[in-house]
PDB file of all heavy atoms in Angstrom:
ATOM      1  N   TYR P 536      54.661   6.494 -56.240  1.00  0.00           N
ATOM      2  CA  TYR P 536      53.496   7.367 -56.010  1.00  0.00           C
ATOM      3  C   TYR P 536      53.780   8.574 -56.895  1.00  0.00           C
ATOM      4  O   TYR P 536      54.693   9.338 -56.680  1.00  0.00           O
ATOM      5  CB  TYR P 536      53.248   7.606 -54.531  1.00  0.00           C
ATOM      6  CG  TYR P 536      52.137   8.524 -54.387  1.00  0.00           C
ATOM      7  CD1 TYR P 536      50.766   8.073 -54.747  1.00  0.00           C
ATOM      8  CD2 TYR P 536      52.128   9.740 -53.736  1.00  0.00           C
ATOM      9  CE1 TYR P 536      49.698   8.869 -54.494  1.00  0.00           C
ATOM     10  CE2 TYR P 536      51.109  10.535 -53.554  1.00  0.00           C
ATOM     11  CZ  TYR P 536      49.778  10.116 -53.916  1.00  0.00           C
ATOM     12  OH  TYR P 536      48.695  10.997 -53.693  1.00  0.00           O
ATOM     13  N   LEU P 537      52.707   8.913 -57.711  1.00  0.00           N
ATOM     14  CA  LEU P 537      52.927  10.066 -58.621  1.00  0.00           C
ATOM     15  C   LEU P 537      51.701  11.077 -58.406  1.00  0.00           C
ATOM     16  O   LEU P 537      50.807  11.042 -59.301  1.00  0.00           O
ATOM     17  CB  LEU P 537      52.982   9.604 -59.966  1.00  0.00           C
ATOM     18  CG  LEU P 537      54.172   8.703 -60.359  1.00  0.00           C
ATOM     19  CD1 LEU P 537      53.939   8.139 -61.763  1.00  0.00           C
ATOM     20  CD2 LEU P 537      55.424   9.346 -60.237  1.00  0.00           C
ATOM     21  N   PRO P 538      51.628  11.850 -57.385  1.00  0.00           N
ATOM     22  CA  PRO P 538      50.402  12.654 -57.061  1.00  0.00           C
ATOM     23  C   PRO P 538      50.106  13.650 -58.171  1.00  0.00           C
ATOM     24  O   PRO P 538      49.046  14.121 -58.249  1.00  0.00           O
ATOM     25  CB  PRO P 538      50.731  13.255 -55.664  1.00  0.00           C
ATOM     26  CG  PRO P 538      52.248  13.231 -55.573  1.00  0.00           C
ATOM     27  CD  PRO P 538      52.689  11.990 -56.361  1.00  0.00           C
ATOM     28  N   GLU P 539      51.177  14.102 -58.954  1.00  0.00           N
ATOM     29  CA  GLU P 539      50.934  15.101 -59.824  1.00  0.00           C
ATOM     30  C   GLU P 539      50.446  14.583 -61.180  1.00  0.00           C
ATOM     31  O   GLU P 539      50.049  15.348 -62.154  1.00  0.00           O
ATOM     32  CB  GLU P 539      52.215  15.902 -60.073  1.00  0.00           C
ATOM     33  CG  GLU P 539      53.327  15.076 -60.893  1.00  0.00           C
ATOM     34  CD  GLU P 539      54.076  14.026 -59.886  1.00  0.00           C
ATOM     35  OE1 GLU P 539      53.862  14.036 -58.764  1.00  0.00           O
ATOM     36  OE2 GLU P 539      54.934  13.314 -60.552  1.00  0.00           O
ATOM     37  N   VAL P 540      50.300  13.298 -61.310  1.00  0.00           N
ATOM     38  CA  VAL P 540      49.747  12.683 -62.575  1.00  0.00           C
ATOM     39  C   VAL P 540      48.247  12.692 -62.596  1.00  0.00           C
ATOM     40  O   VAL P 540      47.553  12.416 -61.545  1.00  0.00           O
ATOM     41  CB  VAL P 540      50.217  11.247 -62.792  1.00  0.00           C
ATOM     42  CG1 VAL P 540      49.697  10.535 -64.040  1.00  0.00           C
ATOM     43  CG2 VAL P 540      51.861  11.194 -62.802  1.00  0.00           C
ATOM     44  N   CYS P 541      47.702  13.223 -63.742  1.00  0.00           N
ATOM     45  CA  CYS P 541      46.268  13.184 -63.878  1.00  0.00           C
ATOM     46  C   CYS P 541      45.653  11.706 -63.955  1.00  0.00           C
ATOM     47  O   CYS P 541      46.397  10.754 -64.260  1.00  0.00           O
ATOM     48  CB  CYS P 541      45.778  14.011 -65.038  1.00  0.00           C
ATOM     49  SG  CYS P 541      45.994  13.208 -66.642  1.00  0.00           S
ATOM     50  N   TRP P 542      44.246  11.641 -63.689  1.00  0.00           N
ATOM     51  CA  TRP P 542      43.687  10.310 -63.613  1.00  0.00           C
ATOM     52  C   TRP P 542      43.888   9.540 -64.891  1.00  0.00           C
ATOM     53  O   TRP P 542      44.228   8.359 -64.891  1.00  0.00           O
ATOM     54  CB  TRP P 542      42.190  10.444 -63.476  1.00  0.00           C
ATOM     55  CG  TRP P 542      41.565   9.203 -63.198  1.00  0.00           C
ATOM     56  CD1 TRP P 542      41.375   8.441 -61.976  1.00  0.00           C
ATOM     57  CD2 TRP P 542      40.906   8.453 -64.216  1.00  0.00           C
ATOM     58  NE1 TRP P 542      40.695   7.291 -62.246  1.00  0.00           N
ATOM     59  CE2 TRP P 542      40.357   7.210 -63.564  1.00  0.00           C
ATOM     60  CE3 TRP P 542      40.636   8.552 -65.550  1.00  0.00           C
ATOM     61  CZ2 TRP P 542      39.749   6.271 -64.263  1.00  0.00           C
ATOM     62  CZ3 TRP P 542      40.018   7.577 -66.263  1.00  0.00           C
ATOM     63  CH2 TRP P 542      39.447   6.451 -65.734  1.00  0.00           C
ATOM     64  N   LEU P 543      43.597  10.137 -66.085  1.00  0.00           N
ATOM     65  CA  LEU P 543      43.738   9.447 -67.322  1.00  0.00           C
ATOM     66  C   LEU P 543      45.179   8.815 -67.495  1.00  0.00           C
ATOM     67  O   LEU P 543      45.374   7.697 -67.880  1.00  0.00           O
ATOM     68  CB  LEU P 543      43.484  10.331 -68.556  1.00  0.00           C
ATOM     69  CG  LEU P 543      43.458   9.701 -69.870  1.00  0.00           C
ATOM     70  CD1 LEU P 543      42.532   8.531 -70.068  1.00  0.00           C
ATOM     71  CD2 LEU P 543      43.193  10.695 -71.010  1.00  0.00           C
ATOM     72  N   ASP P 544      46.173   9.740 -67.154  1.00  0.00           N
ATOM     73  CA  ASP P 544      47.620   9.231 -67.381  1.00  0.00           C
ATOM     74  C   ASP P 544      47.795   8.169 -66.336  1.00  0.00           C
ATOM     75  O   ASP P 544      48.618   7.152 -66.745  1.00  0.00           O
ATOM     76  CB  ASP P 544      48.536  10.440 -67.108  1.00  0.00           C
ATOM     77  CG  ASP P 544      48.520  11.396 -68.382  1.00  0.00           C
ATOM     78  OD1 ASP P 544      48.052  10.999 -69.418  1.00  0.00           O
ATOM     79  OD2 ASP P 544      48.989  12.521 -68.129  1.00  0.00           O
ATOM     80  N   PHE P 545      47.372   8.233 -65.198  1.00  0.00           N
ATOM     81  CA  PHE P 545      47.578   7.244 -64.195  1.00  0.00           C
ATOM     82  C   PHE P 545      46.948   5.918 -64.592  1.00  0.00           C
ATOM     83  O   PHE P 545      47.562   4.884 -64.414  1.00  0.00           O
ATOM     84  CB  PHE P 545      46.926   7.650 -62.864  1.00  0.00           C
ATOM     85  CG  PHE P 545      47.399   6.990 -61.690  1.00  0.00           C
ATOM     86  CD1 PHE P 545      48.500   7.568 -60.980  1.00  0.00           C
ATOM     87  CD2 PHE P 545      46.838   5.811 -61.120  1.00  0.00           C
ATOM     88  CE1 PHE P 545      49.093   6.816 -59.781  1.00  0.00           C
ATOM     89  CE2 PHE P 545      47.392   5.185 -60.035  1.00  0.00           C
ATOM     90  CZ  PHE P 545      48.533   5.750 -59.389  1.00  0.00           C
ATOM     91  N   ILE P 546      45.857   5.932 -65.096  1.00  0.00           N
ATOM     92  CA  ILE P 546      45.104   4.610 -65.484  1.00  0.00           C
ATOM     93  C   ILE P 546      45.899   4.100 -66.758  1.00  0.00           C
ATOM     94  O   ILE P 546      45.974   2.807 -66.831  1.00  0.00           O
ATOM     95  CB  ILE P 546      43.618   4.823 -65.813  1.00  0.00           C
ATOM     96  CG1 ILE P 546      42.922   3.492 -65.963  1.00  0.00           C
ATOM     97  CG2 ILE P 546      43.196   5.486 -67.087  1.00  0.00           C
ATOM     98  CD1 ILE P 546      42.828   2.672 -64.678  1.00  0.00           C
ATOM     99  N   ILE P 547      46.357   4.893 -67.641  1.00  0.00           N
ATOM    100  CA  ILE P 547      47.130   4.399 -68.782  1.00  0.00           C
ATOM    101  C   ILE P 547      48.379   3.640 -68.227  1.00  0.00           C
ATOM    102  O   ILE P 547      48.699   2.555 -68.700  1.00  0.00           O
ATOM    103  CB  ILE P 547      47.500   5.505 -69.786  1.00  0.00           C
ATOM    104  CG1 ILE P 547      46.185   5.963 -70.444  1.00  0.00           C
ATOM    105  CG2 ILE P 547      48.646   5.072 -70.782  1.00  0.00           C
ATOM    106  CD1 ILE P 547      46.425   7.236 -71.277  1.00  0.00           C
ATOM    107  N   LEU P 548      49.125   4.247 -67.302  1.00  0.00           N
ATOM    108  CA  LEU P 548      50.346   3.657 -66.738  1.00  0.00           C
ATOM    109  C   LEU P 548      49.999   2.288 -65.918  1.00  0.00           C
ATOM    110  O   LEU P 548      50.595   1.315 -66.103  1.00  0.00           O
ATOM    111  CB  LEU P 548      50.953   4.545 -65.728  1.00  0.00           C
ATOM    112  CG  LEU P 548      51.591   5.806 -66.210  1.00  0.00           C
ATOM    113  CD1 LEU P 548      51.940   6.759 -65.131  1.00  0.00           C
ATOM    114  CD2 LEU P 548      52.776   5.511 -67.131  1.00  0.00           C
ATOM    115  N   ASP P 549      48.814   2.372 -65.356  1.00  0.00           N
ATOM    116  CA  ASP P 549      48.379   1.170 -64.601  1.00  0.00           C
ATOM    117  C   ASP P 549      48.081  -0.044 -65.581  1.00  0.00           C
ATOM    118  O   ASP P 549      48.357  -1.129 -65.260  1.00  0.00           O
ATOM    119  CB  ASP P 549      47.075   1.466 -63.640  1.00  0.00           C
ATOM    120  CG  ASP P 549      47.542   2.341 -62.541  1.00  0.00           C
ATOM    121  OD1 ASP P 549      48.646   2.435 -62.143  1.00  0.00           O
ATOM    122  OD2 ASP P 549      46.572   2.812 -61.841  1.00  0.00           O
ATOM    123  N   ILE P 550      47.404   0.373 -66.640  1.00  0.00           N
ATOM    124  CA  ILE P 550      46.940  -0.685 -67.638  1.00  0.00           C
ATOM    125  C   ILE P 550      48.365  -1.297 -68.202  1.00  0.00           C
ATOM    126  O   ILE P 550      48.416  -2.530 -68.505  1.00  0.00           O
ATOM    127  CB  ILE P 550      46.160  -0.173 -68.729  1.00  0.00           C
ATOM    128  CG1 ILE P 550      44.771   0.117 -68.016  1.00  0.00           C
ATOM    129  CG2 ILE P 550      45.900  -1.155 -69.983  1.00  0.00           C
ATOM    130  CD1 ILE P 550      43.791   0.976 -68.845  1.00  0.00           C
ATOM    131  N   MET P 551      49.331  -0.451 -68.367  1.00  0.00           N
ATOM    132  CA  MET P 551      50.649  -0.908 -68.941  1.00  0.00           C
ATOM    133  C   MET P 551      51.274  -1.987 -68.038  1.00  0.00           C
ATOM    134  O   MET P 551      51.775  -3.013 -68.333  1.00  0.00           O
ATOM    135  CB  MET P 551      51.586   0.241 -69.153  1.00  0.00           C
ATOM    136  CG  MET P 551      51.127   1.041 -70.425  1.00  0.00           C
ATOM    137  SD  MET P 551      52.023   2.645 -70.764  1.00  0.00           S
ATOM    138  CE  MET P 551      53.665   2.005 -70.769  1.00  0.00           C
TER     139      MET P 551
END
Side-chain angles (χ1 to χ4, degrees):
Y536 181 59
L537 304 169
E539 68 282 355
V540 174
C541 74
W542 183 88
L543 181 59
D544 289 341
F545 200 88
I546 194 73
I547 291 168
L548 291 170
D549 288 350
I550 291 168
M551 290 170 57

